[in-house]
Amino acid sequence: MKTRELVTTRRGLLTGLASLGGLAVTGCSETVPPTYGNLLRMGDLLNYKAQRLLLSTGSLAREYDHRDISSVPAVGTTDPSDSKQGAFSAERGPLYDRLKAGAFQDYRLSVEGSVARARTFSLAELKRLPSRTQITRHMCEEGWTAISEWTGVPLRTVLEACGIRPSARFVTFRPFDEQADSIDMFDALHPQTILAYGMNGRDLPIQHGAPLRVRVEKQLGYKSMKFLQRIVVSDGFEDGGKLGNIQNGWSWYAGI
Ligand SMILES: Nc1nc2c(c(=O)[nH]1)N[C@H]1C(S)=C(S)[C@@H](COP(=O)(O)O)O[C@H]1N2
Ligand SMILES: [Mo]
């Protein structure tokens, strides 16, 4: 069963790569993120280009067994409704509080931007789409790692349900706290990039990003944005403005 899943997934990845064509692999200029004139950031660009070349042969993050699952610290925002937390949003925090009180029955994920049919998804709708479960190692840039099982819907499935415009290149995640981050289409369509609503066989706990977080398994921990409210597809690179990790001193590309 496991092997068959893996084979299907690898084939899925190859199909994905074929359909992307030379887009990211050849590094055509629109797909290369800016380095913001910082010399140190040139290393990110090299990492980005190297990883995209490696991906042409197909690359999945390692998956583990149930017995490997470890305990995970909750890091960064652990509850967007808590006004004492550093990244509290005065605008979205109270909204999150109401959704949490209603057990996220009224939660809607908005998918917008460079798609043919912008729309929202309830949790029930997301759960009706084909799911993927994966046991992976989270690697935080602070140095700790932890292994968990994640269940969710591939981001690719959700984007395709909205009709990805051929000009689309990047996907930005807008959470309920004061943060934002983006990935390129290559990572967005990667078979292990999922919108997770389950963790270790249960509903995703609040502190780990309820009701929905993304798992970007080929990058460091901070790219796996928790508490998703909106997903914005764009043709050009968006740094997320002052909420974006890039303007707050983080590498945009954190491939591992
Ligand atoms: N919305 C949001 N997403 C976030 C963060 C955050 O503070 N807010 N922290 C990031 C960081 S630095 C890490 S390591 C992981 C931590 O996930 P965990 O709390 O489930 O361990 O979430 C990432 N996603
Ligand atoms: Mo982190």
Side-chain angles (χ1 to χ4, degrees), residues 51-137:
Q51 296 258 10
R52 288 297 169 264
L53 274 172
L54 285 171
L55 268 174
S56 60
T57 58
S59 164
L60 292 176
R62 180 173 167 194
E63 296 195 15
Y64 296 79
D65 291 322
H66 277 110
R67 62 170 181 277
D68 300 319
I69 291 174
S70 59
S71 71
V72 197
V75 160
T77 301
T78 52
D79 186 342
S81 68
D82 178 359
S83 60
K84 293 187 289 298
Q85 302 210 344
F88 175 74
S89 158
E91 187 195 334
R92 294 176 304 283
L95 174 61
Y96 185 86
D97 199 32
R98 284 198 297 280
L99 293 170
K100 186 175 75 165
F104 299 109
Q105 287 291 315
D106 295 331
Y107 170 79
R108 297 290 181 273
L109 171 75
S110 169
V111 182
E112 49 199 84
S114 205
V115 289
R117 298 168 300 277
R119 56 167 287 194
T120 63
F121 294 85
S122 68
L123 274 182
E125 283 169 328
L126 292 171
K127 287 178 181 173
R128 275 200 294 274
L129 292 170
S131 74
R132 188 179 203 284
T133 293
Q134 59 202 33
I135 302 174
T136 52
R137 183 189 292 274

Side-chain angles (χ1 to χ4, degrees), residues 72-78 80 85 87 138-142 144 146 148 150 174-180 199 204 207-209 213-215 220-228 245 250:
V72 197
V75 160
T77 301
T78 52
Q85 302 210 344
H138 180 90
M139 298 194 204
C140 172
E141 65 296 341
E142 291 170 344
W144 59 271
S148 319
W150 305 100
R174 298 275 181 180
F176 283 96
D177 60 352
E178 294 274 76
Q179 290 204 21
M199 181 184 183
L204 184 64
Q207 69 268 29
H208 292 297
R213 79 178 296 170
V214 65
R215 292 291 313 161
L220 286 177
Y222 64 88
K223 299 297 286 192
S224 287
M225 197 57 78
K226 307 193 279 187
F227 318 109
L228 297 180
N245 275 335
W250 302 71

